[in-house]
Amino acid sequence: MIDQLLDSSVLIGIAASGIRLATPYLYAAIGETFGQRSGVLNLGVEGIMLMGAFSGFWAVYHTGSLLAGVLIALLAGLLMGLGTAFINVTLKAEQGISGIGIYLFGLGLSDLLFQQSFDSVVTVNGFPRIHVPVLSRIPVLGEIFFQHNLLVYIAFGLVPVAWFVLNRTTLGLKIRAVGQNPQAADAMGISVARVRYFTVILGAMLAAIAGASLSIALLNVFQQNMTAGQGFIAVALVYFGSWRPFGVMAGALLFSTVNALQLWVRTKGIDIPAEYASMAPYLLTILALVLASQRVDQPAALTKPFERGE
Amino acid sequence: MKTMVTGSGSNLLPTGHARIESMEMRGIVKRFPGVLAVDHVDFDVHAGEVHALLGENGAGKSTLMKVLYGLYQPNEGEILINGQHATIKSPADAIAQGIGMVHQHFMLVPSLTVAENVALGLRSSREPLLDLDIVAQRIVELAKTYGLQVDPLAPVWQLAVGEQQRVEIIKALYRGAALLILDEPTAVLTPQEVDDLFGTLHQMVRDGHALIFISHKLHEVLAISDRVTVLRDGRKVGEIPTREATKESLARMMVGREVVFRYERSAVQVGPPLLKIENLWARSDRNTDALRGVNLEIRAGEILGLAGVSGNGQRELAEALFGLRPATQGRVLIAGEDVTGKDPATLNRLGISYIPEERMIDGVITDFTVAENLILQTHGDRPFSSSIFLRPGQIARRCTQLIENFNIRTPSQETLIKSLSGGNIQKLVLARELSRNPRVLIAAQPTRGVDIGATEYIHQRLLDQRAKGTATLLISEDLDEIMALADRIAVIYEGEIVGVVDRGEATVEQLGLMMAGVHAGQA
């Protein structure tokens, strides 16, 4: 097994698919980073991803337009985000519980809509791979980095953008302040609710794209519960990355690479039971989270609804 | 700052913003469920004066000012600024009107820098990008104008409390505050820092700012203000020019009766050392060394006052002594017996009582009744329990006695703690802890947030306990309290004891310097 693994084409393949598989985690976790930096934990990411996956798939199936797929997924994310923000910010729900509700809602609704809309398993023509001119022809690196579909590139482009927005703009300052000390932000005339609505809706729209990246770019089908826990992993990755976009990206890559490795192990039919292999990434996540819990840079107001005048 | 105009004749402040010549609140009423917090109060302030708002905790001072700052909406009444009706629905509206507020609990984001805190919520000159370099430059200019030294690039969590307060004032000035509300601004400062603050406030008044100074400390109100308004139970009980006021007359207005400022201190024969702390080290919640080799000794019949600015290890010391926080080094001895690392139940049995600083969190269970709270430690012992069942009759008898002895004002024994006032809750904690007649008493901030009447009572009980031979560690940030009660005064700074002074030799100036870390010899 080890000598097979050390074959260069295998390594390149695993690295490339690690990058590709990181895409849904990146969208969802970067979006969740914004929400959590403003103090809102959205555990419903998984449900929103499923809604995004279905609506994007549905739109591409009916129109044949990938742009329409992305736009419809964004719309689904916006609606789910609006609902999430209303529950968590306006109604001040317990975020650990409301998130589970949002997840189950997304899980059920996406499946219901799928069964109503399609009789049999169908596929769509998703985002094609783009071979970046010149760069994709570099040996090894070209194959690993520059032969992916558009959504992969955008996902990685999002990381520095998120960093810049959080650290260099007035909006980012507001988001950080609201997540650390909403009373102080409120006393400075910032609307805590407005900032949190913005971050939650943004996060939900990115989660929806994360789902769509599965159904119209990576797999090009829709199935019930096709995200299989990736939304929850994305939430964990935000902790893993200490609420920093680049840290989140590192976590996403680590996770997806281990995932790519276990997929390869399974396809090779190597005599490790497949269940052990598929457990590996999750065990890794738990381990990483335990290590990450030693750090103290968690937004102080995370999961705490804001009440004026306390 | 380009358009800086100075001189009291102009109608612009040194910051270039317009003055507020007059602000009037008329007939303000603010109700909370079940409470009339502010009852038809009139209050006004003019440019170039300090108007003090005096009252006990819960008298409605902060509520009234939160109405002015837009944090609360009044049920009745109106606000006039420069004679014009003003609608203030949020802090943003208040800021736009030229009103600033320095809150009692600072409204700063600890993880951000000073400049980021100041820039928060303001339009940037490079929108949507931040312009922190320009903000930092202006902070330095403002700091110079008003004598408010701060480093704009320092993260706020690294700053001392006095510096954080300067950031709060700069934040308000930066936003063009012409009227500044200061809510209990001196509570967290050393006496020298109070002098510096008063210097800044005097300058602001000369420059044409209008200042509202909220306090319950009489001598500070007398020192800084031009006029005083006194609130009691949400009502305005009087307004007088400060030069016509005395400490006694203000106290009478505040409490509604004569107040004693001197206590009967009987001469007590000091006994053997009961509490001995040897080279005690402990860590803070942030995992830094909060106590760094504390050595103290308290004898029977002695009150040792521990003075210091908050956050210098007082909380950690109290918790380490009572077994709530592990000591990383050193020993604690009770009457010669090593009790380091023992749990609170054992310490209770050994005769230690603890009056915690956060009484609502560590002192009582707010959803329990008065009776239940009075037997928190003893509910398993005779006569309150018969090994399995509680004995309500015995419990009730004991509670009736304590409620009477300690003058706890409660509708019944079955009343939930959370509906009592702060002073009565503290009397209840005191009753529970003192009724076990402790050998060692650790009293952390025993009168914080307690009204004058209850404060007087608590002080007297602490002195009675001293006469009974208890060794008391009195941890307080209120120097007046310490000077009134303690036989010896120790000062803690950054987890170390700077020095210990005898009662007769201590002066406020010397203690103030020690609180800033200057050793007794040098001070």
Side-chain angles (χ1 to χ4, degrees):
Chain A
M1 172 193 161
I2 297 295
D3 24 306
Q4 275 180 307
L5 180 60
L6 290 181
D7 184 277
S8 74
S9 69
V10 171
L11 283 179
I12 290 171
I14 289 173
S17 73
I19 289 196
R20 205 164 46 245
L21 292 177
T23 309
Y25 296 124
L26 271 179
Y27 282 113
I30 293 290
E32 178 74 5
T33 300
F34 276 95
Q36 292 199 15
R37 282 306 276 274
S38 77
V40 183
L41 170 72
N42 180 7
L43 275 183
V45 173
E46 176 93 359
I48 301 171
M49 279 176 75
L50 283 167
M51 286 301 293
F54 170 77
S55 48
F57 181 80
W58 178 86
V60 173
Y61 181 81
H62 284 286
T63 65
S65 155
L66 291 169
L67 180 65
V70 169
L71 290 178
I72 294 297
L74 282 172
L75 181 67
L78 183 126
L79 293 174
M80 290 293 285
L82 206 59
T84 305
F86 182 70
I87 292 167
N88 287 340
V89 181
T90 306
L91 300 181
K92 306 185 205 300
E94 184 69 46
Q95 289 168 18
I97 305 299
S98 67
I100 296 173
I102 292 156
Y103 156 58
L104 291 172
F105 175 76
L107 174 69
L109 184 62
S110 61
D111 189 32
L112 174 70
L113 291 173
F114 177 63
Q115 290 182 19
Q116 298 288 319
S117 318
F118 298 97
D119 298 326
S120 56
V121 174
V122 288
T123 57
V124 293
N125 289 322
F127 279 87
R129 288 195 183 198
I130 298 170
H131 290 246
V132 180
V134 187
L135 292 175
S136 64
R137 288 203 297 272
I138 303 171
V140 184
L141 294 182
E143 222 180 305
I144 295 176
F145 293 111
F146 300 109
Q147 299 184 5
H148 297 294
N149 68 64
L150 184 62
L151 291 186
V152 178
Y153 299 121
I154 294 177
F156 281 89
L158 212 55
V159 176
V161 171
W163 175 87
F164 188 83
V165 169
L166 281 171
N167 293 296
R168 290 286 182 270
T169 66
T170 52
L171 174 68
L173 184 63
K174 282 182 202 170
I175 292 171
R176 286 184 284 145
V178 164
Q180 288 285 355
N181 188 346
Q183 272 74 21
D186 181 52
M188 288 301 98
I190 294 168
S191 165
V192 174
R194 200 182 303 165
V195 170
R196 288 184 171 172
Y197 260 85
F198 171 80
T199 57
V200 169
I201 290 172
L202 175 69
M205 289 170 79
L206 288 174
I209 292 299
S213 76
L214 292 169
S215 66
I216 62 173
L218 288 172
L219 307 171
N220 300 332
V221 292
F222 183 85
Q223 290 169 358
Q224 187 218 3
N225 194 23
M226 72 182 297
T227 49
Q230 295 192 27
F232 289 104
I233 299 291
V235 175
L237 288 173
V238 178
Y239 281 76
F240 176 83
S242 293
W243 296 272
R244 296 191 181 93
F246 284 100
V248 168
M249 179 178 81
L253 278 171
L254 178 68
F255 193 81
S256 60
T257 306
V258 174
N259 215 358
L261 190 65
Q262 67 91 7
L263 285 176
W264 174 80
V265 167
R266 280 208 282 185
T267 54
K268 283 285 152 203
I270 291 164
D271 56 353
I272 306 172
E275 288 76 13
Y276 285 120
S278 31
M279 270 195 281
Y282 301 95
L283 286 175
L284 185 76
T285 308
I286 291 170
L287 192 70
L289 282 175
V290 171
L291 295 176
S293 72
Q294 310 297 329
R295 281 173 261 171
V296 288
D297 31 17
Q298 173 167 344
L302 187 60
T303 76
K304 292 183 190 129
F306 172 67
E307 202 94 49
R308 183 180 274 179
E310 278 182 323
Chain B
M1 294 301 282
K2 292 281 147 54
T3 55
M4 187 183 286
V5 183
T6 42
S8 53
S10 82
N11 52 10
L12 285 183
L13 297 163
T15 55
H17 295 94
R19 290 162 49 137
I20 289 183
E21 294 301 335
S22 72
M23 187 291 300
E24 254 186 281
M25 301 177 87
R26 283 189 191 159
I28 301 292
V29 175
K30 177 64 191 173
R31 287 185 204 95
F32 293 111
V35 189
L36 186 52
V38 174
D39 184 4
H40 294 92
V41 171
D42 298 328
F43 185 85
D44 66 302
V45 65
H46 300 276
E49 74 161 351
V50 180
H51 192 161
L53 190 54
L54 182 68
E56 302 238 65
N57 287 292
K61 299 167 301 196
S62 291
T63 306
L64 182 67
M65 287 303 113
K66 281 181 175 170
V67 167
L68 179 55
Y69 194 60
L71 287 165
Y72 292 149
Q73 296 310 305
N75 299 100
E76 285 174 44
E78 64 166 346
I79 299 172
L80 300 165
I81 291 176
N82 292 332
Q84 303 284 316
H85 176 83
T87 311
I88 302 176
K89 293 231 170 285
S90 69
D93 291 345
I95 293 166
Q97 293 277 2
I99 298 171
M101 181 160 182
V102 175
H103 297 263
Q104 192 175 357
H105 304 288
F106 297 151
M107 294 288 188
L108 294 169
V109 184
S111 58
L112 302 183
T113 65
V114 170
E116 285 175 325
N117 266 284
V118 171
L120 189 55
L122 289 175
R123 270 201 84 73
S124 156
S125 60
R126 291 199 281 266
E127 209 59 63
L129 304 186
L130 288 165
D131 56 352
L132 292 175
D133 47 331
I134 299 175
V135 174
Q137 196 186 331
R138 256 213 86 187
I139 291 173
V140 172
E141 286 170 29
L142 275 176
K144 228 178 274 170
T145 314
Y146 289 95
L148 296 160
Q149 286 319 308
V150 295
D151 172 8
L153 301 180
V156 161
W157 63 266
Q158 286 182 354
L159 301 184
V161 184
E163 289 175 295
Q164 294 190 15
Q165 185 173 67
R166 296 202 281 274
V167 178
E168 283 283 38
I169 296 174
I170 285 175
K171 231 166 72 178
L173 291 172
Y174 197 103
R175 286 166 168 72
L179 187 165
L180 188 61
I181 308 161
L182 298 122
D183 190 355
E184 303 269 4
T186 61
V188 293
L189 303 181
T190 66
Q192 280 79 8
E193 285 176 323
V194 171
D195 288 344
D196 291 345
L197 171 67
F198 281 9
T200 298
L201 299 186
H202 280 304
Q203 159 123 32
M204 289 174 68
V205 166
R206 274 198 301 277
D207 289 339
H209 288 270
L211 301 182
I212 301 173
F213 184 88
I214 306 180
S215 183
H216 65 267
K217 293 190 183 170
L218 302 171
H219 60 271
E220 283 171 359
V221 166
L222 290 171
I224 189 76
S225 70
D226 300 293
R227 272 192 296 159
V228 191
T229 287
V230 182
L231 295 186
R232 188 169 75 225
D233 297 333
R235 273 186 298 272
K236 179 171 173 174
V237 288
E239 180 191 324
I240 48 171
T242 308
R243 62 190 137 74
E244 293 170 18
T246 64
K247 204 170 163 180
E248 286 72 23
S249 67
L250 290 179
R252 203 180 315 117
M253 284 165 79
M254 211 164 122
V255 186
R257 63 176 171 80
E258 292 296 331
V259 178
V260 197
F261 287 104
R262 295 240 160 258
Y263 300 102
E264 293 303 320
R265 292 176 58 91
S266 47
V268 170
Q269 186 63 45
V270 178
L274 285 182
L275 175 67
K276 212 165 174 184
I277 304 167
E278 290 178 356
N279 188 34
L280 191 67
W281 289 66
R283 289 180 173 267
S284 71
D285 294 341
R286 285 178 167 268
N287 216 16
T288 54
D289 281 319
L291 297 181
R292 302 187 297 165
V294 170
N295 288 294
L296 285 173
E297 184 182 282
I298 311 177
R299 295 171 166 275
E302 184 182 52
I303 296 179
L304 178 79
L306 186 69
V309 178
S310 85
N312 274 291
Q314 294 97 319
R315 192 162 66 85
E316 289 82 359
L317 177 62
E319 291 178 355
L321 290 179
F322 200 61
L324 296 168
R325 184 177 289 271
T328 46
Q329 258 190 65
R331 297 200 302 165
V332 180
L333 304 168
I334 302 289
E337 185 183 342
D338 190 343
V339 299
T340 323
K342 294 262 196 296
D343 59 88
T346 310
L347 292 170
N348 266 328
R349 252 176 276 126
L350 285 168
I352 305 192
S353 279
Y354 175 43
I355 299 173
E357 172 177 346
E358 297 281 351
R359 76 178 79 90
M360 301 303 279
I361 297 166
D362 302 323
V364 293
I365 301 179
T366 49
D367 285 303
F368 274 21
T369 66
V370 168
E372 285 166 335
N373 270 290
L374 279 171
I375 56 157
L376 279 185
Q377 298 114 329
T378 47
H379 60 268
D381 304 337
R382 293 190 175 276
F384 308 126
S385 116
S386 56
S387 67
I388 297 176
F389 299 107
L390 289 172
R391 297 166 75 185
Q394 292 289 346
I395 295 170
R397 194 165 315 147
R398 168 61 155 214
C399 293
T400 312
Q401 196 189 340
L402 286 179
I403 287 169
E404 201 179 294
N405 285 358
F406 283 82
N407 198 14
I408 302 166
R409 271 174 239 157
T410 170
S412 78
Q413 293 184 11
E414 303 311 315
T415 305
L416 293 188
I417 287 289
K418 58 182 173 193
S419 58
L420 299 190
S421 75
N424 277 303
I425 294 172
Q426 191 69 332
K427 281 197 268 183
L428 181 145
V429 173
L430 202 74
R432 190 182 67 212
E433 299 303 323
L434 296 189
S435 63
R436 292 184 289 129
N437 200 18
R439 289 196 285 178
V440 173
L441 173 66
I442 301 155
Q445 319 288 354
T447 59
R448 180 192 277 172
V450 167
D451 56 77
I452 289 197
T455 296
E456 244 187 322
Y457 183 81
I458 291 165
H459 284 169
Q460 199 54 58
R461 293 304 291 231
L462 292 178
L463 288 172
D464 294 348
Q465 208 59 42
R466 166 178 171 269
K468 286 185 194 167
T470 298
T472 303
L473 175 64
L474 170 66
I475 302 173
S476 178
E477 281 149 28
D478 183 349
L479 261 191
D480 298 336
E481 173 169 273
I482 285 198
M483 307 253 317
L485 301 180
D487 298 291
R488 288 185 300 139
I489 300 166
V491 179
I492 192 168
Y493 177 74
E494 293 189 345
E496 289 178 81
I497 301 296
V498 184
V500 184
V501 215
D502 276 336
R503 167 184 184 79
E505 293 158 19
T507 64
V508 174
E509 290 69 30
Q510 184 199 14
L511 292 175
L513 285 171
M514 288 165 74
M515 284 160 75
V518 181
H519 280 269
Q522 298 158 272

